[in-house]
Amino acid sequence: MRILVIGGTWFLGKAIAESALSRGWDVTTFNRGRSGPDVPGVEPVHGDRTVREDLQKLAQSGPWDAVIDTSSSELAPRDVLLASTTLASRARRWVHISTVSVYEGWPHEPLTDDSPLLRCPADTDATFGYTGQDGSPTKYGFQKAGGERAVAEAFGDAAVFLRPGVILGPGEYVGRLPWWLERAKRGGRILAPAPAEQRIQPVDVRDVAAFALHQAAGTGSGGYNVTHPDGVSSSSFLAECLRVTGSSGTPVWVDPAVLTEHGVKQWTELPLWRTHAGVWEVSAQLAVADGLRCRPIADTVRDTWEWWSKDGRPVDHPRWAEHGIAPEKEARILASL
């Protein structure tokens, strides 16, 4: 197999490149060369994916059996269209890393792979879409839906769309799991969003990488929800964070209404906490039937702590600062209970 990874220097892109190399595949990566070092063993090509001339230069390094695009999250659909159409004659397949945010019902309703998508043209710019008053749908979701349409127009039945919810694991640059690990390590009374039995579905970055490579080598097409089919309760997740950090901290499970009264921001100040009914009700049935295998989330927590303890924060990313409640605010809430 010969593949092109658009991205390839951090988190998911890096995991895909490393896993492909371990299988003996030939790997080309394409990025601007700003986010991290190239993975040893790849054929790196540096350039800007929004510049036609850079893409035309990249095309000369082909052909490839598949393209895996991990770097379209901040791009307008027309930029995705430019890349996919420029490379369409140089690759057999395109595996596109998308998001569950492309669904009309996200995060209010349980989702399947057949749930209706937001509508966005393939050739639109970054102004298309809107974010609802309650935070959904999101402009980001519209844009990602437009990116999917762009790839579909270029690759047709040879396009695959992977739609993760939350990806965790070694190398995470957003800071969700690292924050919980550091908070667990600090100990004491830990503000935790009730109910403790709430099931969450984060998926390990290494499992997403393996499924992306499985699809690159396969013949399927269409969309797959990539969420943990078993999940884990919030209490078990936090207990594992306490265990691996050797902490004696004690979770204090607080009703969401109380957290809202105190102005705690969902999803960021207490990472992974969101009250919408469908946020952790995303079926991965189709992906599991087609080869997705997910390790226990406890393994993800353990391995992330081992990585974090050794290497620490991988890159400077603006979303890092969004995550985690300030200790002073947490203390005030706990004292008021």
Side-chain angles (χ1 to χ4, degrees):
M1 282 287 292
R2 190 162 192 264
I3 65 169
L4 166 64
V5 181
I6 303 182
T9 60
W10 61 356
F11 203 36
L12 179 57
K14 181 180 179 182
I16 289 171
E18 290 176 339
S19 183
L21 289 170
S22 73
R23 301 175 185 211
W25 294 9
D26 291 329
V27 181
T28 304
T29 57
F30 180 65
N31 53 69
R32 293 177 297 176
R34 300 176 184 176
S35 301
D38 296 307
V39 173
V42 306
E43 177 189 345
V45 179
H46 292 159
D48 188 331
R49 63 173 295 166
T50 66
V51 177
R52 186 182 302 274
E53 292 74 17
D54 288 359
L55 290 167
Q56 291 171 339
K57 175 185 174 183
L58 169 65
Q60 297 173 12
S61 297
W64 300 279
D65 295 298
V67 176
I68 303 178
D69 186 0
T70 70
S71 70
S72 68
S73 61
E74 306 299 329
L75 293 180
R78 67 181 183 186
D79 293 322
V80 178
L81 184 64
L82 174 63
S84 57
T85 54
T86 302
L87 299 175
S89 65
R90 306 297 286 164
R92 179 176 61 87
R93 294 171 61 71
W94 186 291
V95 179
H96 195 72
I97 308 302
S98 187
T99 170
V100 292
S101 296
V102 298
Y103 288 110
E104 286 183 0
W106 169 258
H108 299 284
E109 304 169 2
L111 298 176
T112 71
D113 301 282
D114 296 323
S115 296
L117 304 178
L118 295 169
R119 297 183 181 182
C120 177
D123 58 353
T124 192
D125 61 19
T127 64
F128 189 92
Y130 64 92
T131 297
Q133 290 185 347
D134 67 345
S136 65
T138 62
K139 188 174 183 180
Y140 171 74
F142 280 104
Q143 292 280 308
K144 291 290 282 186
E148 286 195 13
R149 177 168 290 188
V151 173
E153 289 188 4
F155 277 81
D157 289 339
V160 178
F161 307 103
L162 307 189
R163 298 169 183 147
V166 173
I167 304 175
L168 302 179
E172 184 197 339
Y173 61 84
V174 174
R176 295 185 178 103
L177 180 48
W179 184 85
W180 275 115
L181 288 164
E182 285 293 337
R183 179 61 193 91
K185 180 183 177 182
R186 196 165 76 241
R189 300 172 72 218
I190 301 173
L191 187 67
E197 64 273 14
Q198 172 66 56
R199 185 182 71 116
I200 61 176
Q201 295 178 281
V203 63
D204 192 289
V205 63
R206 295 162 294 183
D207 298 330
V208 181
F211 189 60
L213 294 174
H214 176 70
Q215 290 300 323
T219 59
S221 64
Y224 295 87
N225 295 334
V226 185
T227 56
H228 201 293
D230 301 319
V232 67
S233 68
S234 294
S235 59
S236 295
F237 172 80
L238 188 48
E240 190 63 21
C241 290
L242 291 166
R243 188 191 70 79
V244 300
T245 59
S247 175
S248 60
T250 303
V252 179
W253 299 97
V254 179
D255 188 278
V258 175
L259 296 175
T260 301
E261 288 175 6
H262 285 274
V264 178
K265 297 178 182 177
Q266 296 187 37
W267 209 239
T268 52
E269 284 194 298
L270 291 179
L272 307 179
W273 169 56
R274 201 167 184 177
T275 58
H276 298 81
V279 68
W280 297 120
E281 293 293 338
V282 181
S283 171
Q285 182 177 0
L286 185 60
V288 170
D290 200 16
L292 175 66
R293 299 294 179 265
C294 292
R295 70 198 69 205
I297 294 173
D299 291 358
T300 303
V301 174
R302 179 198 63 220
D303 294 347
T304 301
W305 178 243
E306 291 179 359
W307 158 77
W308 179 251
S309 300
K310 177 183 177 182
D311 298 327
R313 187 169 168 181
V315 293
D316 289 322
H317 193 279
R319 293 180 66 187
W320 193 279
E322 299 175 0
H323 292 89
I325 189 170
E328 299 80 8
K329 183 174 182 178
E330 180 186 24
R332 287 196 303 270
I333 297 172
L334 289 170
S336 71
L337 299 177

